[in-house]
Amino acid sequence: MALGAALLNGLGGKSVEAGSDAVTDADAYAGTKLAAADVVSTGITTVTDWSHAFNTDFAKGGLRALGESKLRFLYSYNGTTDPALQNEIRRVKREVIDPNPLARLQIGTHPATGNFPSVEASERLARELGVSLNVHLLESKADLTAGQMDALRRADALHPGLVANHVIQTTDADLDELAAAGVSVAHNPLSNMRLASGVIRLPEMKKRNMKVGLGLDGGTNDTSDMFNVMRAAVGLQRATTTDPAIYPTTADVLRMATLGGAEALGMDKEIGSLTPGKKADLQLVDAQSVNFAPKVDWVNQLVFNTQPANVLWVFVDGRALKREGRSCPGKHTRFVLYLR
């Protein structure tokens, strides 16, 4: 949606339209089913679904599709001050998330001083349930006047475990505070470019030893190709600094897409690297195809050359979700047609 528009101008009206009760369980199920198939096809094994959860049926449809996908997932349920919704989130954790070893819950919120009661309630609920808070933070210039950092301070939400998406419009003081608090960052370079949000300060985050993973911010909305995301993360910094040695290197973004993402989600003891004792989440890439020839440097070529078609196998928890280049079961036509 909103091609050629900035973030708030382009998406504001669309969000209101999508937020109506007309968005159904079936809508969410079809859209999430399609997005899950898309990410599997590109080699992704773990996703965070930051769901606006326009209504409880929408959340049910999305969660049903995620469960059927057999992906490892975190569902970030948008919190509010509504006691009924808070009870529904508790039920979802108890009855849907906890019984599924591939699932985790997060509480999502948009921090702002004008939205402070929801921010405070979301942080309180996250603490009660022992889960992380996931926020959109300093994504656009408009966020600079929203009092986002102040809202998080007042809610006592700046602490290890907080996941902040975007984090672009930052001062040195902001980065110092976020780093000291142990806040993790999800970097979404393709989304940030398309929505004209700005360029993240990755080198400064690296100097502060901040945990940064890579994100899509929308899957089929932009692309689910994490190799493309890695290339963009490298290219943005080089293009804006004209320094080919600037952080991140190709090895750095490959780590951000794997172990770095797991660290940002607090899951690095389980996933993110091929290590004895961790979960068997992995992909196999065909490096014999023409776009890999000639072999020069594997890390550079994985980042700069790989296309989704090169991903032959995808395993989550030892189960093949993509086999010999074909998704299992590989029949998604009806969801594509539904969403037209």
Side-chain angles (χ1 to χ4, degrees), residues 18-65:
S20 72
D21 289 337
V23 184
T24 66
D25 177 305
D27 295 331
Y29 178 77
T32 306
K33 194 82 170 177
L34 181 66
D38 192 33
V39 298
V40 168
S41 73
T42 70
I44 292 171
T45 59
T46 301
V47 296
T48 300
D49 185 352
W50 204 106
S51 177
H52 290 82
F54 303 117
N55 53 59
T56 55
D57 280 346
F58 184 92
K60 289 174 183 176
L63 281 163
R64 185 159 53 94

Coordinates of all heavy atoms in Angstrom, one line a residue, residues 18-65:
A18 N -8.0 -0.3 7.4 CA -7.8 -1.7 7.7 C -8.2 -2.0 9.2 O -8.5 -3.2 9.5 CB -6.3 -2.1 7.5
G19 N -8.3 -1.0 10.0 CA -8.6 -1.2 11.4 C -10.1 -1.4 11.7 O -10.5 -1.6 12.9
S20 N -10.9 -1.5 10.7 CA -12.3 -1.6 11.0 C -12.7 -3.1 11.3 O -11.9 -4.0 11.0 CB -13.1 -1.2 9.7 OG -13.0 -2.2 8.7
D21 N -13.8 -3.3 11.8 CA -14.3 -4.7 12.2 C -14.5 -5.5 10.9 O -14.6 -6.7 11.0 CB -15.6 -4.6 13.0 CG -15.4 -4.1 14.4 OD1 -14.2 -4.2 14.8 OD2 -16.3 -3.6 15.0
A22 N -14.4 -4.9 9.7 CA -14.6 -5.7 8.5 C -13.4 -6.6 8.2 O -13.5 -7.5 7.4 CB -14.9 -4.7 7.3
V23 N -12.3 -6.3 8.9 CA -11.1 -7.2 8.7 C -11.4 -8.4 9.5 O -11.4 -8.4 10.7 CB -9.8 -6.5 9.2 CG1 -8.6 -7.4 8.9 CG2 -9.7 -5.1 8.4
T24 N -11.5 -9.6 8.8 CA -12.0 -10.8 9.5 C -10.9 -11.8 9.8 O -9.8 -11.7 9.3 CB -13.0 -11.4 8.5 OG1 -12.3 -11.9 7.4 CG2 -14.1 -10.5 8.2
D25 N -11.3 -12.8 10.5 CA -10.5 -14.0 10.7 C -10.0 -14.6 9.4 O -8.8 -14.9 9.3 CB -11.3 -15.0 11.5 CG -10.6 -16.3 11.7 OD1 -10.1 -17.0 10.8 OD2 -10.6 -16.8 12.9
A26 N -10.9 -14.7 8.4 CA -10.5 -15.2 7.1 C -9.5 -14.3 6.4 O -8.5 -14.8 5.7 CB -11.7 -15.4 6.2
D27 N -9.6 -13.0 6.5 CA -8.6 -12.1 5.9 C -7.2 -12.3 6.5 O -6.3 -12.4 5.8 CB -9.1 -10.7 6.2 CG -10.4 -10.3 5.5 OD1 -10.7 -10.9 4.4 OD2 -11.1 -9.4 6.0
A28 N -7.2 -12.3 7.8 CA -5.9 -12.5 8.5 C -5.3 -13.8 8.2 O -4.1 -14.0 8.0 CB -6.1 -12.3 10.0
Y29 N -6.1 -14.9 8.2 CA -5.6 -16.2 7.9 C -5.0 -16.3 6.5 O -3.9 -16.8 6.4 CB -6.8 -17.2 8.1 CG -6.4 -18.7 7.7 CD1 -5.7 -19.4 8.7 CD2 -6.7 -19.2 6.5 CE1 -5.3 -20.7 8.4 CE2 -6.4 -20.5 6.2 CZ -5.6 -21.3 7.2 OH -5.2 -22.6 6.8
A30 N -5.7 -15.8 5.5 CA -5.2 -15.8 4.2 C -4.0 -15.0 4.0 O -3.0 -15.5 3.4 CB -6.3 -15.3 3.2
G31 N -3.9 -13.8 4.5 CA -2.8 -13.0 4.4 C -1.5 -13.5 5.1 O -0.4 -13.5 4.6
T32 N -1.7 -14.0 6.3 CA -0.6 -14.6 7.1 C -0.2 -15.9 6.4 O 1.0 -16.2 6.4 CB -1.1 -14.8 8.5 OG1 -1.6 -13.6 9.1 CG2 0.1 -15.3 9.4
K33 N -1.1 -16.7 5.9 CA -0.7 -17.9 5.3 C 0.2 -17.7 4.1 O 1.2 -18.3 3.9 CB -2.0 -18.7 4.8 CG -1.8 -20.1 4.4 CD -1.8 -21.0 5.6 CE -1.8 -22.5 5.2 NZ -1.7 -23.4 6.3
L34 N -0.2 -16.7 3.3 CA 0.6 -16.3 2.1 C 2.0 -15.8 2.5 O 3.0 -16.1 1.9 CB -0.2 -15.2 1.3 CG 0.5 -14.8 0.0 CD1 0.6 -15.9 -1.0 CD2 -0.2 -13.6 -0.6
A35 N 2.0 -14.9 3.5 CA 3.3 -14.3 4.0 C 4.2 -15.4 4.5 O 5.4 -15.4 4.3 CB 3.0 -13.2 5.0
A36 N 3.6 -16.4 5.3 CA 4.4 -17.5 5.8 C 5.0 -18.3 4.7 O 6.2 -18.7 4.8 CB 3.6 -18.3 6.7
A37 N 4.2 -18.6 3.7 CA 4.7 -19.4 2.5 C 5.9 -18.6 1.9 O 6.9 -19.2 1.4 CB 3.6 -19.7 1.6
D38 N 5.7 -17.3 1.8 CA 6.7 -16.5 1.1 C 8.0 -16.5 1.9 O 9.1 -16.7 1.3 CB 6.2 -15.0 1.0 CG 7.0 -14.2 0.1 OD1 7.5 -14.7 -0.9 OD2 7.1 -12.9 0.4
V39 N 8.0 -16.3 3.2 CA 9.2 -16.3 4.0 C 9.9 -17.7 3.9 O 11.2 -17.7 3.9 CB 9.0 -15.8 5.4 CG1 8.5 -14.4 5.4 CG2 8.2 -16.7 6.2
V40 N 9.1 -18.7 4.0 CA 9.8 -20.1 3.9 C 10.5 -20.2 2.6 O 11.6 -20.7 2.5 CB 8.7 -21.2 4.1 CG1 9.3 -22.5 3.7 CG2 8.2 -21.2 5.5
S41 N 9.9 -19.8 1.5 CA 10.5 -19.9 0.2 C 11.8 -19.2 0.0 O 12.6 -19.6 -0.8 CB 9.5 -19.4 -0.9 OG 9.4 -18.0 -0.9
T42 N 12.0 -18.2 0.8 CA 13.3 -17.4 0.8 C 14.3 -17.9 1.8 O 15.4 -17.3 1.8 CB 13.0 -15.9 0.9 OG1 12.6 -15.6 2.3 CG2 11.9 -15.4 0.0
G43 N 13.9 -18.8 2.6 CA 14.9 -19.4 3.6 C 14.8 -19.0 5.0 O 15.7 -19.3 5.8
I44 N 13.8 -18.2 5.3 CA 13.6 -17.7 6.7 C 13.0 -18.8 7.6 O 12.1 -19.5 7.2 CB 12.8 -16.4 6.7 CG1 13.6 -15.3 6.0 CG2 12.4 -16.0 8.1 CD1 12.7 -14.1 5.8
T45 N 13.5 -18.9 8.8 CA 13.0 -20.0 9.7 C 12.3 -19.4 10.9 O 11.5 -20.1 11.6 CB 14.2 -20.8 10.2 OG1 15.2 -20.0 10.9 CG2 14.9 -21.5 9.1
T46 N 12.5 -18.1 11.3 CA 11.9 -17.5 12.5 C 11.4 -16.2 12.1 O 12.1 -15.4 11.5 CB 12.9 -17.4 13.6 OG1 13.4 -18.6 14.0 CG2 12.2 -16.7 14.8
V47 N 10.1 -15.9 12.5 CA 9.5 -14.6 12.2 C 8.9 -14.0 13.4 O 8.5 -14.7 14.3 CB 8.4 -14.7 11.1 CG1 9.0 -15.1 9.8 CG2 7.3 -15.6 11.5
T48 N 8.9 -12.6 13.5 CA 8.1 -11.9 14.4 C 7.0 -11.2 13.7 O 7.2 -10.5 12.8 CB 9.0 -10.8 15.1 OG1 10.1 -11.4 15.8 CG2 8.1 -10.0 16.2
D49 N 5.8 -11.6 14.1 CA 4.6 -11.0 13.5 C 4.1 -9.9 14.5 O 3.4 -10.1 15.5 CB 3.5 -12.0 13.3 CG 2.3 -11.5 12.6 OD1 2.2 -10.3 12.4 OD2 1.4 -12.3 12.2
W50 N 4.5 -8.6 14.1 CA 4.0 -7.5 14.9 C 2.6 -7.2 14.4 O 2.4 -6.5 13.4 CB 4.9 -6.3 14.7 CG 4.9 -5.3 15.8 CD1 5.8 -5.1 16.8 CD2 3.8 -4.3 16.1 NE1 5.5 -4.1 17.7 CE2 4.2 -3.6 17.3 CE3 2.6 -4.1 15.6 CZ2 3.4 -2.6 17.9 CZ3 1.8 -3.1 16.2 CH2 2.2 -2.4 17.3
S51 N 1.6 -7.7 15.1 CA 0.2 -7.7 14.6 C -0.5 -6.5 15.2 O -0.5 -6.3 16.5 CB -0.5 -8.9 14.9 OG -1.9 -8.8 14.5
H52 N -1.1 -5.7 14.4 CA -1.9 -4.6 15.0 C -3.2 -5.2 15.6 O -3.9 -4.5 16.3 CB -2.3 -3.6 13.9 CG -1.2 -2.8 13.4 ND1 -0.3 -3.2 12.5 CD2 -0.7 -1.5 13.8 CE1 0.7 -2.3 12.3 NE2 0.4 -1.3 13.1
A53 N -3.5 -6.5 15.3 CA -4.6 -7.2 15.9 C -5.9 -6.3 16.0 O -6.4 -5.9 17.0 CB -4.2 -7.6 17.3
F54 N -6.3 -5.9 14.8 CA -7.4 -4.9 14.6 C -8.7 -5.4 15.4 O -9.4 -4.5 15.9 CB -7.8 -4.8 13.2 CG -6.6 -4.3 12.3 CD1 -6.1 -5.1 11.3 CD2 -6.0 -3.1 12.6 CE1 -5.1 -4.7 10.6 CE2 -5.0 -2.6 11.8 CZ -4.5 -3.4 10.8
N55 N -8.8 -6.7 15.6 CA -9.9 -7.2 16.4 C -9.5 -8.6 16.8 O -8.5 -9.2 16.3 CB -11.2 -7.2 15.7 CG -11.2 -7.9 14.4 OD1 -10.9 -9.1 14.3 ND2 -11.5 -7.1 13.3
T56 N -10.2 -9.2 17.7 CA -9.7 -10.5 18.2 C -9.8 -11.6 17.2 O -9.0 -12.5 17.1 CB -10.5 -10.9 19.5 OG1 -11.9 -10.9 19.2 CG2 -10.3 -10.0 20.6
D57 N -10.8 -11.5 16.3 CA -10.9 -12.5 15.2 C -9.7 -12.4 14.3 O -9.2 -13.4 13.8 CB -12.2 -12.3 14.4 CG -13.4 -12.9 15.0 OD1 -13.2 -13.7 16.0 OD2 -14.5 -12.5 14.6
F58 N -9.2 -11.2 14.0 CA -8.0 -11.0 13.2 C -6.8 -11.7 13.8 O -6.1 -12.4 13.1 CB -7.7 -9.5 13.0 CG -6.6 -9.1 12.1 CD1 -6.8 -8.9 10.8 CD2 -5.3 -9.1 12.6 CE1 -5.8 -8.6 9.9 CE2 -4.3 -8.8 11.7 CZ -4.5 -8.5 10.4
A59 N -6.7 -11.5 15.1 CA -5.6 -12.2 15.8 C -5.7 -13.7 15.7 O -4.7 -14.4 15.5 CB -5.5 -11.7 17.3
K60 N -6.9 -14.2 15.9 CA -7.1 -15.7 15.8 C -6.7 -16.2 14.4 O -6.1 -17.3 14.3 CB -8.6 -16.0 16.1 CG -9.0 -15.8 17.6 CD -10.4 -16.0 17.8 CE -10.8 -15.7 19.3 NZ -12.3 -15.8 19.5
G61 N -7.1 -15.5 13.4 CA -6.8 -16.0 12.0 C -5.3 -16.0 11.8 O -4.8 -16.9 11.2
G62 N -4.6 -14.9 12.2 CA -3.2 -14.8 12.0 C -2.5 -15.9 12.8 O -1.5 -16.6 12.3
L63 N -2.9 -16.1 14.0 CA -2.2 -17.2 14.9 C -2.5 -18.6 14.3 O -1.6 -19.4 14.4 CB -2.7 -17.1 16.3 CG -2.1 -15.9 17.1 CD1 -3.0 -15.6 18.4 CD2 -0.7 -16.3 17.5
R64 N -3.7 -18.8 13.8 CA -3.9 -20.1 13.2 C -3.0 -20.4 12.0 O -2.5 -21.5 11.9 CB -5.4 -20.1 12.8 CG -5.9 -21.5 12.2 CD -7.4 -21.6 12.3 NE -8.1 -20.5 11.7 CZ -8.5 -20.5 10.5 NH1 -8.4 -21.5 9.7 NH2 -9.2 -19.4 10.0
A65 N -2.8 -19.4 11.2 CA -2.0 -19.5 10.0 C -0.5 -19.7 10.4 O 0.2 -20.6 9.8 CB -2.1 -18.3 9.1

